[in-house]
């Protein structure tokens, strides 16, 4: 189905102003800055103390798992509570409206409708999937990738997060993109590693738009660009450091463009995203017309008169 345009979003600092864990820190009275500083020191600590490498993108999960136990700083934390925190996300302006508006924009265009072109939104995050699934964006997206946690029952009959079930880091985000490419969210029986001809893949890379906030998403940016798709970065208003960071990404050819994090209609971010979607839709129309023209040109003239 080569008529699908996929907009793939990061979550923290891309759709949300800050991190999804912020309200958790507030409720449990945990200093967020100190927590992340502690997490950032863990890879060097474990390498030095035990000669063990850890994944710096997902090691933070262990701090939440240990903290969920009795007496821990996140005592009693479970997936149901994580989903409730999803309702407290501090989304940037224009979210979630941009999801429905971009879909509607294509659906209501008679030309695009003729070719059954559609827009789909996906979220790929190194954060908690349960939080995203509990937020207001859930109903607007086709699928979510994030870290998933297994629960256990305590002696008191309460459920707490206890084990890591599934993780996404900034490199394995590319696996999620291949899953979108092959249509696995719609057809989970497909093996992502199985060979599949390009022409039968559900979403072509050239019809993908990847939106994130910084250098940690370079693997995903690179994959999308290599396949002919588009890349876009977001930075918070008046954040000079973040602005310089995305400008450097542009200079390095990692992204096509960037804008301030405001997705309201008429803003630079909204206009770039909507115009890029329309451009992809026009390309699909042109390709389909060319295919039809080529097919007709191969038919004997007396059959087409």
């Amino acid at each position: 189905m080569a008529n699908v345009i996929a907009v793939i979003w990061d979550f923290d600092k891309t759709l949300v102003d800050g991190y999804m864990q912020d309200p958790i820190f507030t409720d449990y009275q945990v200093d967020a800055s100190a927590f992340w500083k502690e997490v950032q020191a863990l890879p060097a600590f474990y390498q030095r103390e035990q000669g063990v490498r850890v994944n710096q993108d997902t090691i933070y999960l262990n701090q939440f798992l240990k903290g969920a136990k009795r007496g821990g700083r996140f005592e009693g934390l479970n997936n149901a509570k994580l989903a409730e925190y999803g309702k407290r996300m501090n989304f940037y302006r224009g979210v979630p409206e941009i999801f429905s508006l971009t879909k509607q924009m294509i659906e209501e265009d008679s030309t695009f409708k003729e070719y059954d072109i559609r827009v789909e939104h996906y979220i790929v995050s190194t954060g908690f999937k349960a939080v995203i699934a509990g937020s207001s964006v859930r109903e607007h997206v086709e699928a979510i990738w994030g870290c998933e946690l297994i629960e256990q029952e305590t002696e008191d009959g309460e459920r707490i997060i206890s084990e890591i079930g599934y993780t996404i880091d900034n490199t394995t985000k590319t696996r999620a993109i291949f899953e979108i490419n092959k249509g696995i969210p719609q057809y989970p029986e497909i093996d992502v590693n199985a060979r599949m001809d390009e022409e039968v893949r559900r979403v072509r890379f050239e019809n993908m738009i990847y939106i994130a906030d910084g250098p940690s998403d370079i693997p995903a940016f690179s994959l999308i660009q290599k396949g002919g798709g588009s890349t876009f970065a977001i930075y918070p208003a008046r954040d000079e450091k973040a602005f310089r960071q995305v400008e450097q990404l542009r200079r390095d050819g990692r992204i096509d463009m960037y804008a301030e994090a405001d997705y309201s209609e008429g803003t630079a971010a909204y206009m770039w995203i909507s115009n890029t979607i329309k451009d992809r839709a026009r390309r699909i129309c042109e390709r389909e017309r060319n295919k039809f023209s080529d097919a007709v040109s191969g038919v004997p003239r007396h059959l087409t008169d």
Side-chain angles (χ1 to χ4, degrees), residues 28-245:
Y28 284 94
Q29 299 181 337
V30 172
D31 184 302
S33 179
F35 177 87
W36 292 120
K37 185 176 181 181
E38 175 186 325
V39 167
Q40 290 166 5
L42 288 174
F45 170 79
Y46 286 120
Q47 181 65 46
R48 182 176 64 253
E49 295 294 319
Q50 301 183 33
V52 174
R53 291 194 305 170
V54 301
N55 189 321
Q56 62 182 2
D57 295 336
T58 56
I59 188 62
Y60 81 92
L61 295 171
N62 287 338
Q63 304 305 95
F64 277 94
L65 295 177
K66 290 186 289 186
K69 297 176 182 178
R70 178 180 293 179
R73 53 185 165 181
F74 303 112
E75 184 175 356
L77 189 62
N78 56 34
N79 286 317
K81 290 182 178 179
L82 289 174
E84 285 298 311
Y85 282 116
K87 299 176 182 177
R88 294 167 55 183
M89 292 296 97
N90 184 26
F91 288 110
Y92 287 122
R93 289 179 57 194
V95 178
E97 293 82 5
I98 190 170
F99 295 101
S100 55
L101 287 172
T102 49
K103 287 183 179 181
Q104 182 180 345
M105 171 185 74
I106 296 300
E107 291 169 357
E108 294 182 350
D109 186 294
S110 58
T111 301
F112 300 151
K113 189 173 183 178
E114 178 184 350
Y115 291 96
D116 193 28
I117 298 171
R118 67 196 68 175
V119 175
E120 297 178 348
H121 293 275
Y122 297 87
I123 294 176
V124 182
S125 170
T126 61
F128 297 122
K129 180 179 179 179
V131 172
I132 303 170
S135 76
S136 61
V137 301
R138 177 63 189 96
E139 64 181 289
H140 299 281
V141 300
E142 272 62 39
I144 298 167
W145 283 260
C147 297
E148 302 184 49
L149 303 174
I150 299 167
E151 296 179 340
Q152 71 174 24
E153 191 171 298
T154 68
E155 295 177 356
D156 300 326
E158 302 293 330
R159 300 189 68 81
I160 61 169
I161 53 174
S162 60
E163 298 179 72
I164 294 173
Y166 184 85
T167 61
I168 283 280
D169 61 38
N170 288 311
T171 301
T172 56
K173 282 185 174 185
T174 58
R175 177 190 171 97
I177 293 171
F178 273 107
E179 291 185 4
I180 295 169
N181 169 240
K182 292 187 174 183
I184 291 176
Q186 291 75 22
Y187 307 100
E189 67 277 9
I190 296 174
D191 180 358
V192 69
N193 295 314
R195 186 182 182 282
M196 181 182 288
D197 291 339
E198 291 293 332
E199 59 268 21
V200 298
R201 297 190 182 202
R202 188 172 184 277
V203 185
R204 297 187 178 189
F205 285 107
E206 66 193 57
N207 293 334
M208 292 184 179
I209 302 166
Y210 189 83
I211 304 170
D213 68 290
S216 62
D217 280 277
I218 284 177
F221 284 144
S222 297
L223 175 61
I224 296 294
Q225 286 189 323
K226 184 177 180 181
S230 298
T231 53
F232 187 68
I234 283 293
Y235 69 94
R238 297 177 296 281
D239 188 329
E240 289 296 325
K241 180 179 178 181
F243 173 81
R244 290 194 298 271
Q245 182 173 269

